[in-house]
């Protein structure tokens, strides 16, 4: 079985004349050890797809399975625990706490998830790889967009999740940084056997992907070379 499997997913918002169909019969699979891209322009349904995959919102119809569990059958508390321990989110908005320093962002994770996180040495290695180890005492408002993006990536990886879901993780990065993040996500998938799903319009990430899906107007197809 796939680590992530979406079957015939539909998502609608509104009702009557204002009803909008955002996802249309979407089918998707991702396995541990894979970096899977979902490519599409703004408004194509990428972010909705990602939040449904991570259990942050429910589809209008269809099934979502994570690690062989249908999330509709999981109790709310168990779903929250699954997201906490198994899923790492990298969202466009960064979601960093503005009044906490970079270092304190990780301390906050320790308070919420008390075990299974990276060791201090592993964290420092990750921060050095992302070249943010020298800004750990700064606040988000003091950082550039690219630095905030890399801190958000590090924070998601700090919890050592089995599944990584990233929404435009390279949006604020130049090409050199894109290559670093692409290599990092590819390494996490291969060396640490994680399922990594990235939704993006950034074609520079294609070289790092094992498989690529394309989404347009809510319709998803797998790209076959």
């Amino acid at each position: 079985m796939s680590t992530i499997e979406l079957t015939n997913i539909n998502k609608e918002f509104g009702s009557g004349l204002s009803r909008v169909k955002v996802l249309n019969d979407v089918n998707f699979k991702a396995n541990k050890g894979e970096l899977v891209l979902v490519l599409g322009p703004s408004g194509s349904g990428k972010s909705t797809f990602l939040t449904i995959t991570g259990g942050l919102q429910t589809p209008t119809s269809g099934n979502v399975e994570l690690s062989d569990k249908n999330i509709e059958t999981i109790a709310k508390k168990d779903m929250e625990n699954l997201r906490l321990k198994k899923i790492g989110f990298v969202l466009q908005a960064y979601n960093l706490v503005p009044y906490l320093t970079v270092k304190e962002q990780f301390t906050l994770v320790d308070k919420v998830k008390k075990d299974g996180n990276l060791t201090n040495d592993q964290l420092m290695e990750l921060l050095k790889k992302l070249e943010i180890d020298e800004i750990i005492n700064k606040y988000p408002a003091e950082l550039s967009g690219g630095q905030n993006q890399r801190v958000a990536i590090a924070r998601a990886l700090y919890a050592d999740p089995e599944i990584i879901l990233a929404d435009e993780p390279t949006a604020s990065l130049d090409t050199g940084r894109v290559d670093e993040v692409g290599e990092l996500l590819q390494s996490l998938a291969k060396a640490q056997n994680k399922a990594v799903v990235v939704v993006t319009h950034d074609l520079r990430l294609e070289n790092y992907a094992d498989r690529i899906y394309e989404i347009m107007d809510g319709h998803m197809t797998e790209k076959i070379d």
Side-chain angles (χ1 to χ4, degrees), residues 35-222:
L35 170 54
V36 183
L37 290 190
V38 177
L39 290 174
S42 178
S44 59
K46 299 191 308 294
S47 294
T48 300
F49 157 79
L50 199 74
T51 54
I52 287 176
T53 301
L56 294 175
Q57 64 175 314
T58 58
T60 303
S61 63
N63 295 314
V64 179
E65 292 191 4
L66 301 177
S67 300
D68 298 337
K69 295 179 181 178
N70 187 326
I71 65 174
E72 285 192 10
T73 66
I74 302 175
K76 182 178 179 180
K77 185 176 181 180
D78 291 336
M79 187 64 219
E80 291 172 352
N81 194 50
L82 177 67
R83 282 198 298 265
L84 177 65
K85 294 187 175 181
K86 303 286 188 180
I87 305 174
F89 290 95
V90 182
L91 302 177
Q92 280 193 67
Y94 312 138
N95 285 355
L96 301 178
V97 181
Y99 53 82
L100 296 181
T101 65
V102 170
K103 183 178 180 180
E104 290 168 340
Q105 306 287 334
F106 301 99
T107 303
L108 179 62
V109 175
D110 286 329
K111 292 180 179 179
V112 177
K113 181 175 178 280
K114 300 183 185 299
D115 53 54
N117 301 323
L118 299 183
T119 66
N120 188 62
D121 287 346
Q122 289 172 325
L123 174 60
M124 290 310 299
E125 182 181 348
L126 175 62
L127 297 182
K128 286 178 181 177
K129 190 166 188 176
L130 291 171
E131 295 188 7
I132 51 176
D133 55 306
E134 295 184 358
I135 59 170
I136 60 174
N137 293 317
K138 292 185 178 293
Y139 292 90
E142 299 177 290
L143 306 180
S144 68
Q147 287 173 325
N148 274 310
Q149 184 67 283
R150 283 177 278 150
V151 172
I153 291 169
R155 190 184 61 178
L157 302 183
Y158 177 62
D160 198 23
E162 292 181 6
I163 295 169
I164 298 167
L165 303 177
D167 189 356
E168 299 285 6
T170 58
S172 302
L173 306 181
D174 60 30
T175 297
R177 300 293 187 199
V178 170
D179 288 335
E180 290 173 5
V181 171
E183 289 171 2
L184 175 63
L185 294 175
Q186 186 184 62
S187 174
L188 287 165
K190 301 298 183 187
Q192 299 187 34
N193 199 35
K194 299 181 186 299
V196 183
V197 179
V198 177
V199 301
T200 185
H201 67 271
D202 194 340
L203 299 180
R204 295 174 295 179
L205 287 171
E206 283 189 301
N207 290 337
Y208 301 98
D210 294 290
R211 290 186 299 115
I212 299 172
Y213 287 83
E214 294 176 320
I215 186 168
M216 178 69 71
D217 297 330
H219 295 270
M220 183 180 287
T221 56
E222 186 169 2

